[in-house]
Amino acid sequence: MDTRVELAVDRKKKGMNCAQAVACTYCDYAGLDEATMAAITQSLGTGIGGTLEGTCGAITGACTVVGLANKEAGRGKAMQAAKYIVNNFKQSNQTVTCKTLKGVDTGVMLRSCEDCVRDAAKFLEDMLQ
């Protein structure tokens, strides 16, 4: 697989939320067209529902793809892939919560949105290979 990580980052730069940027880049693995995937993930950005309180949208976008990509393999494989993505993201960035990544309470940004997209896309690619 050729890496698509920077394509995901480019989608983020062009206005997609973090979930859309990741999920739409790999929508072919999920068996969906880009417009459908963008609609599915439109409410998952900015910590789910724009609250900053939830899980980073880049992670939820990646987990959406692995769930759909593994629909034939079953829940166990999808859950294992999602766990890999979440655990590796957290190990790399200290947290999976959007608000904490953005440094809302501390004033110290741990990771930019573009870098969150980059990380989630890389871990997703690990699971798609």
Side-chain angles (χ1 to χ4, degrees):
M1 164 196 258
D2 290 332
T3 185
R4 299 182 191 180
V5 170
E6 293 307 315
L7 293 173
V9 173
D10 191 51
R11 280 186 163 93
K12 174 62 183 159
K13 289 178 182 177
K14 290 180 177 173
M16 286 187 161
N17 72 39
C18 295
Q20 290 172 318
V22 173
C24 289
T25 300
Y26 303 93
C27 61
D28 56 320
Y29 285 91
L32 298 175
D33 62 89
E34 187 171 329
T36 301
M37 184 63 87
I40 289 169
T41 55
Q42 67 186 339
S43 65
L44 300 178
T46 321
I48 303 177
T51 65
L52 293 170
E53 297 289 335
T55 301
C56 168
I59 297 169
T60 60
C63 290
T64 300
V65 172
V66 296
L68 289 165
N70 287 292
K71 63 183 167 251
E72 302 298 324
R75 180 178 175 212
K77 187 166 182 180
M79 292 294 281
Q80 181 182 20
K83 185 175 183 179
Y84 174 88
I85 293 166
V86 171
N87 287 342
N88 280 278
F89 189 97
K90 186 172 186 178
Q91 183 177 5
S92 296
N93 298 301
Q94 303 174 31
T95 186
V96 297
T97 306
C98 183
K99 182 178 184 177
T100 307
L101 288 161
K102 301 300 136 243
V104 171
D105 292 335
T106 65
V108 178
M109 182 184 291
L110 298 177
R111 205 76 170 138
S112 70
C113 290
E114 290 173 9
D115 284 334
C116 288
V117 166
R118 192 172 278 116
D119 293 344
K122 186 220 175 291
F123 299 134
L124 172 58
E125 286 186 3
D126 291 345
M127 292 293 92
L128 293 174
Q129 294 196 36

